Structure formats: structure tokens, C-alpha cells
């Protein structure tokens, strides 16, 4: 069995849905399981709904209307009004409305997952309905009956044994199956999610559980490039990458592959193909056992909008175990993700992501015990397989604040010009 994954950009409008359907028809006619994300930027639109639900109830009808119009507009170009898919989609909007009207829970993360899941439920109904419309038989299923997790809403952990058992029992491997990425369920049938951008990971979970022959993630780029094309104008396609190298790149922030996707498929040596849904004839990138990197060239990964913090003790103590463990506990408490660490006798520097906007609270709490220097809005560049000219290229992007060099990896914090 093959696993395909299509992300939001590949199903952002009616033409894109037609393109996805033709790729599925041409490339995955039988025994393929297709994982689909929410259409376009719909997950963000559902986050707006959640925000209004909590903070500005009067905006809720407009926000919901926008989402319904978006999907119905796409559907009007793909279907006839009498097609079954209209009923299926209306059932979903009914369920969403029911939840919003009846919910009494104040637990934000729980509520978030019960609402956000509709993006994937809607997109898969539409893709499956369109395949049927063009005569491509397929099976739609609700992934929440297959992937089981704990109850850590918004970042749930997979129960691998149960998931593997359910998937093997229930997936019809002789058919084209269409299901949702990103969402799952706990043991009380509540919806959970695997973390933003988690649909690649869903594809990895199915591949692992079914011992699939390959996983293909279809992207808006030719494959994995040696740098993010949104940041670098001159990029090269990487034809072959080893699992280890791809894990490193994804871990440092090459967002083309979700970092959790690779380890399960590496365990079973299932190849991961990253291919272009724009040019589906092209080969793209293969991630597999074997050659580390082909071509072997420097690869650049950038994390924008970081905060560089240098911390030293006010009581003249050294920055060793006790101080460092205290600081790390606080970083964890305030959900500040550390992307680089550098330590000297009297100063401890970290480059952090302030994703949850809790940095100021962290700063206030540490301020009376430590001297803290803060540089906001800096960029963290990671270069794998660097050489002198690669480092020079990055250092020309602004003022270089900190450089760390390991055997294969150089990381540079830059204050942009
Ligand atoms: P999906 O539609 O599956 O969610 P993403 O938007 O998450 O896809 O991933 C594709 C994007 O990843 C590309 O449009 C590109 O901007 C970005 N990207 C970041 N680093 C790389 C890289 N090294 N190679 C290719 N694309 C990259
Ligand atoms: N739709 C989800 C998100 O935007 C999952 C995904 O696309 O991977 O985060
Ligand atoms: Mg994505």
C-alpha cells in the first residue's frame, strides 16, 4: 500500500482539487491511502472562530459564514446541487453549530480540538466526493476511529499499539482510502490533534502501521531544496537525503517536512518521497536509507523572529548546574522553545521562540536574580555541511550576534539589517 499526503496549499480552490484528483487517478489508482489537510488557510480561519467564541461572540456568525462560503464556493465549481456531498457537508456544519451551542467546557485546548477538526473533515468530504463524481471509486473514513491518542489536547501523543491494531483491522488495503490528517481521538471519543502542521505526521503513522511501500507528500515546491525558497532566491533540489539527515533538517526547522514524520518510517525503512503537485511528473526528493545528501552541498535553515537572551547571575555565581536547571525549568514553564544554547563560565545564552507570547512574564520572573540582556527580532540560521562561503553568505545578512560551530552544523544568530 502507498500513502499520499496532500496539504492545504494543494486543495486551496476548485482547480487544485481537480489537480489532486488527477494525481490520485494517475499515480495511485489502487491500494492507496490519501491523507488530506484542511483547505488553503482554513485551519487559521477555524482558529479565528475559536478566538471569537471565547472573546467576541458577536463576531462568530461572520467568521462561520466566511468558512461556509469558502467551502460552498469551491463545491459549486465541482458538484451539482443534488450531489450527496452537499448533505455530508451540511451534516458537518450542523455538528459544528451543535457543539458551539451546547458546549459548557471552559478548557481551551479541548474546545480548540473539537472545533479545529472540521477543516479536515470538510476537505476530505469534498476530495472524496469529487473523486466519486469523476468515477473514481474511493472509501472515505473518519480517522478518529483509527488513530488513538492520549488526552493532551492540541499536542496529543499517539497510542501506537491500539492505533496499529485498529488500522490493520479496519483499512481496506485494496481500495483508495481518503482520510483526514492532523486529527485523532482519545479513549472517550473526543477529538484530539497532533499539533499544527501535523498532517505529514498522520501520513507517517499510517505508513508505519501498514508497513507501507512508500509515503509521498505532495508539496508546492519541487521537493526538499537546500534552502527555503521564500527566504533564499537561489535554491537547489536535493535528490536524495538519508533519514538521519532529513531528521536533522526538519528538527532545525526545515518546515517542508514535519519533524515527527520521519522516525516511524525510518524504523521500517519506508521511503519518503517529497514531490511537486504542480509538476507531478518530476521525481522530487527521496528520503531513504543510504546516501546522506545528493548533491552534497550546504543546506540553510532559517527561524525568523527569535529572541536571543544572555543571562548571568547577579550574585557573581557561575552559570553551572543549579542556575541552568532553574532557568530551564522556567523556560519550560513559560513554553519558550529553545533553539540554541551557548554557555560560558559567567553567561548562559539561549535563542528562543516566543510562540505563546510568554517571554515578558519569564523575563519579569528572572529579572531580580539575574542580569538579562535581550535582543528581540533576530533570525537563527542553521547551515548543515557548511563551508567558508556559506558562513559568509549568512553573515552578510546583518549583524552577527552569536556563532556556534559543530562538526556538520553551524548556527548563526543574525540581527537583520
Ligand atoms: P503543506 O501544504 O503540506 O502544509 P508546507 O507549506 O507545510 O506544506 O510546506 C511546504 C513549504 O515549505 C514550501 O512552500 C516552502 O516555502 C517551505 N520550505 C521550508 N524549507 C524548505 C526546504 N528546505 N525545501 C523546500 N521547501 C521548504
Ligand atoms: N490543517 C492543519 C494545520 O494547518 C494540519 C496540516 O495542515 O498539516 O496546521
Ligand atoms: Mg502545512
Amino acid at each position: 500500500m502507498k500513502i499520499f499526503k496532500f496539504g492545504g496549499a494543494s486543495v486551496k480552490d476548485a482547480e487544485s482539487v481537480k489537480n489532486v484528483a488527477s494525481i490520485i487517478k494517475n499515480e495511485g489508482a489502487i491500494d492507496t491511502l490519501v491523507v488530506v489537510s484542511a483547505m488553503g488557510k482554513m485551519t487559521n480561519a477555524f482558529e479565528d472562530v475559536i478566538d471569537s467564541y471565547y472573546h467576541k461572540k458577536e463576531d462568530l456568525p461572520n467568521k462561520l459564514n466566511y468558512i461556509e462560503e469558502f467551502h460552498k464556493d469551491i463545491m459549486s465549481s465541482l458538484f451539482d446541487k443534488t450531489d450527496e456531498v452537499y448533505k455530508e457537508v451540511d451534516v458537518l456544519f450542523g455538528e459544528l453549530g451543535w457543539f458551539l451551542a451546547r458546549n459548557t467546557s471552559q478548557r481551551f485546548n479541548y474546545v480548540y480540538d473539537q472545533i479545529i477538526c472540521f477543516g479536515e473533515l470538510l476537505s476530505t468530504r469534498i476530495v472524496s466526493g469529487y473523486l466519486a463524481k469523476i468515477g473514481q471509486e474511493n472509501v472515505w473514513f473518519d480517522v478518529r476511529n483509527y488513530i488513538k491518542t492520549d488526552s493532551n489536547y492540541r499536542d496529543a501523543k499517539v497510542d501506537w499499539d491500539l492505533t496499529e491494531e485498529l488500522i490493520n483491522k479496519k483499512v481496506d488495503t485494496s481500495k483508495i482510502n481518503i482520510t483526514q490528517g492532523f486529527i485523532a481521538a482519545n479513549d472517550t471519543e473526543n477529538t484530539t490533534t497532533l499539533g499544527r502542521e501535523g498532517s505529514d505526521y498522520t501520513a507517517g503513522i499510517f505508513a508505519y502501521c501498514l508497513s507501507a511501500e512508500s509515503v509521498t507528500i505532495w508539496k508546492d515546491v519541487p521537493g526538499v531544496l537546500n534552502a527555503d525558497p521564500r527566504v533564499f532566491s537561489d535554491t537547489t533540489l536535493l535528490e536524495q537525503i538519508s533519514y538521519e539527515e532529513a531528521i536533522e533538517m526538519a528538527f532545525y526547522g526545515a518546515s517542508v517536512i514535519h519533524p515527527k514524520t520521519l522516525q516511524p518510517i525510518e524504523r521500517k525503512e519506508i521511503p519518503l518521497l517529497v514531490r511537486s503537485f504542480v509538476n507531478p511528473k518530476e521525481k522530487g526528493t527521496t528520503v531513504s536509507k543510504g546516501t546522506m545528501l545528493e548533491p552534497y552541498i550546504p543546506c540553510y535553515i532559517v527561524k525568523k523572529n527569535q529572541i536571543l537572551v544572555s543571562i548571568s547571575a547577579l550574585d557573581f555565581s557561575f552559570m553551572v548546574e543549579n542556575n541552568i536547571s532553574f532557568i530551564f525549568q522556567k523556560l519550560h514553564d513559560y513554553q519558550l522553545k529553545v533553539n540554541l544554547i551557548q554557555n560560558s563560565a559567567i553567561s548562559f545564552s539561549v535563542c528562543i521562540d516566543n510562540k505563546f507570547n510568554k517571554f515578558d512574564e519569564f523575563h519579569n520572573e528572572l529579572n531580580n536574580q539575574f542580569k538579562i540582556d535581550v535582543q528581540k527580532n533576530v533570525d537563527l540560521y542553521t547551515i548543515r555541511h557548511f563551508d567558508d562561503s556559506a558562513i559568509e553568505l549568512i553573515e552578510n545578512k546583518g549583524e552577527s550576534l552569536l556563532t556556534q560551530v559543530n562538526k556538520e552544523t553551524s548556527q548563526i544568530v543574525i540581527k537583520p539589517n
Side-chain angles (χ1 to χ4, degrees):
M1 173 154 243
K2 284 188 283 189
I3 313 293
F4 282 2
K5 180 260 171 172
F6 291 96
S10 69
V11 286
K12 67 178 194 308
D13 52 29
E15 278 315 303
S16 313
V17 174
K18 290 182 183 170
N19 180 50
V20 163
S22 92
I23 294 176
I24 295 171
K25 259 194 119 162
N26 294 337
E27 301 256 353
I30 48 160
D31 69 355
T32 303
L33 189 145
V34 185
V35 171
V36 186
S37 305
M39 302 180 116
K41 300 275 176 224
M42 278 298 115
T43 301
N44 293 349
F46 277 103
E47 284 190 343
D48 282 349
V49 165
I50 296 159
D51 189 54
S52 298
Y53 180 70
Y54 271 93
H55 304 116
K56 226 169 167 220
K57 278 245 160 59
E58 64 274 22
D59 286 352
L60 205 48
N62 273 344
K63 300 273 170 73
L64 288 168
N65 211 25
Y66 168 68
I67 291 176
E68 186 157 353
E69 291 289 303
F70 178 90
H71 289 95
K72 296 265 165 90
D73 188 43
I74 292 177
M75 289 169 71
S76 69
S77 308
L78 301 174
F79 302 109
D80 297 309
K81 277 276 177 290
T82 49
D83 286 340
E84 190 65 20
V85 65
Y86 274 96
K87 276 191 216 132
E88 291 159 354
V89 161
D90 283 339
V91 166
L92 291 172
F93 281 112
E95 284 173 13
L96 173 60
W98 191 91
F99 177 81
L100 292 169
R102 301 289 176 91
N103 171 59
T104 51
S105 171
Q106 286 299 315
R107 287 178 302 156
F108 182 85
N109 289 351
Y110 160 80
V111 171
Y112 179 101
D113 281 355
Q114 309 321 301
I115 296 175
I116 208 84
C117 60
F118 284 95
E120 271 67 15
L121 293 167
L122 287 162
S123 69
T124 49
R125 279 297 189 195
I126 293 172
V127 170
S128 165
Y130 184 68
L131 283 168
K133 180 93 185 155
I134 60 168
Q136 180 61 64
E137 198 194 322
N138 70 93
V139 178
W140 178 95
F141 68 79
D142 187 332
V143 76
R144 294 173 295 184
N145 299 323
Y146 294 66
I147 298 184
K148 295 292 174 182
T149 67
D150 65 8
S151 298
N152 188 21
Y153 295 104
R154 294 185 74 188
D155 192 20
K157 201 163 156 269
V158 174
D159 178 340
W160 283 96
D161 289 341
L162 182 54
T163 299
E164 191 168 9
E165 188 189 320
L166 288 169
I167 287 178
N168 278 294
K169 201 154 68 188
K170 294 166 91 166
V171 173
D172 183 345
T173 52
S174 67
K175 295 265 167 61
I176 292 188
N177 293 269
I178 309 289
T179 198
Q180 307 79 39
F182 175 54
I183 71 174
N186 65 8
D187 57 356
T188 52
E189 312 283 305
N190 288 323
T191 305
T192 56
T193 57
L194 305 171
R196 282 296 310 260
E197 301 296 326
S199 294
D200 289 352
Y201 182 37
T202 303
I205 295 168
F206 275 107
Y208 176 86
C209 293
L210 290 165
S211 299
E213 82 186 61
S214 63
V215 184
T216 307
I217 52 178
W218 297 90
K219 300 272 170 177
D220 60 355
V221 280
V224 182
L225 305 166
N226 74 323
D228 186 342
R230 288 171 302 189
V231 185
F232 290 77
S233 51
D234 192 13
T235 56
T236 306
L237 176 70
L238 303 171
E239 283 162 31
Q240 156 72 33
I241 314 177
S242 67
Y243 292 113
E244 292 78 13
E245 182 62 24
I247 290 169
E248 294 286 343
M249 287 179 68
F251 173 79
Y252 283 118
S255 60
V256 63
I257 307 173
H258 188 279
K260 282 186 182 167
T261 314
L262 290 153
Q263 289 190 56
I265 62 175
E266 177 191 23
R267 184 78 63 84
K268 291 203 175 166
E269 295 184 9
I270 299 164
L272 171 73
L273 313 173
V274 184
R275 294 177 63 186
S276 161
F277 62 74
V278 186
N279 292 307
K281 292 214 157 52
E282 303 288 317
K283 200 164 157 276
T285 300
T286 304
V287 178
S288 64
K289 199 173 166 205
T291 313
M292 181 199 273
L293 197 61
E294 181 59 47
Y296 190 88
I297 50 173
C299 298
Y300 304 86
I301 301 140
V302 55
K303 285 193 187 246
K304 298 234 162 206
N305 262 320
Q306 305 282 297
I307 305 179
L308 180 64
V309 195
S310 298
I311 305 174
S312 46
L314 289 171
D315 64 2
F316 309 114
S317 62
F318 292 115
M319 293 306 282
V320 289
E321 295 82 356
N322 53 349
N323 280 329
I324 293 177
S325 64
F326 176 78
I327 293 166
F328 259 99
Q329 185 58 51
K330 294 295 159 201
L331 287 164
H332 178 74
D333 293 348
Y334 289 105
Q335 293 173 283
L336 295 162
K337 185 165 180 300
V338 176
N339 289 321
L340 176 139
I341 304 166
Q342 189 143 297
N343 197 21
S344 74
I346 52 163
S347 157
F348 173 70
S349 300
V350 278
C351 190
I352 54 186
D353 227 314
N354 188 19
K355 205 166 132 195
F356 297 97
N357 275 320
K358 292 189 177 169
F359 177 74
D360 292 341
E361 288 172 64
F362 165 82
H363 191 197
N364 286 342
E365 185 167 343
L366 265 67
N367 220 5
N368 52 0
Q369 250 173 293
F370 297 96
K371 177 175 174 299
I372 308 176
D373 287 324
V374 179
Q375 294 264 5
K376 290 194 174 173
N377 297 320
V378 298
D379 299 333
L380 171 62
Y381 287 89
T382 303
I383 317 173
R384 294 276 299 159
H385 319 294
F386 58 92
D387 55 21
D388 289 345
S389 66
I391 291 183
E392 199 183 312
L393 179 80
I394 299 305
E395 286 182 339
N396 282 336
K397 290 191 179 281
E399 183 192 348
S400 164
L401 302 175
L402 187 157
T403 300
Q404 195 170 73
V405 179
N406 295 320
K407 191 159 164 270
E408 290 288 353
T409 312
S410 169
Q411 291 192 287
I412 308 174
V413 179
I414 297 279
K415 189 162 190 61
N417 287 327

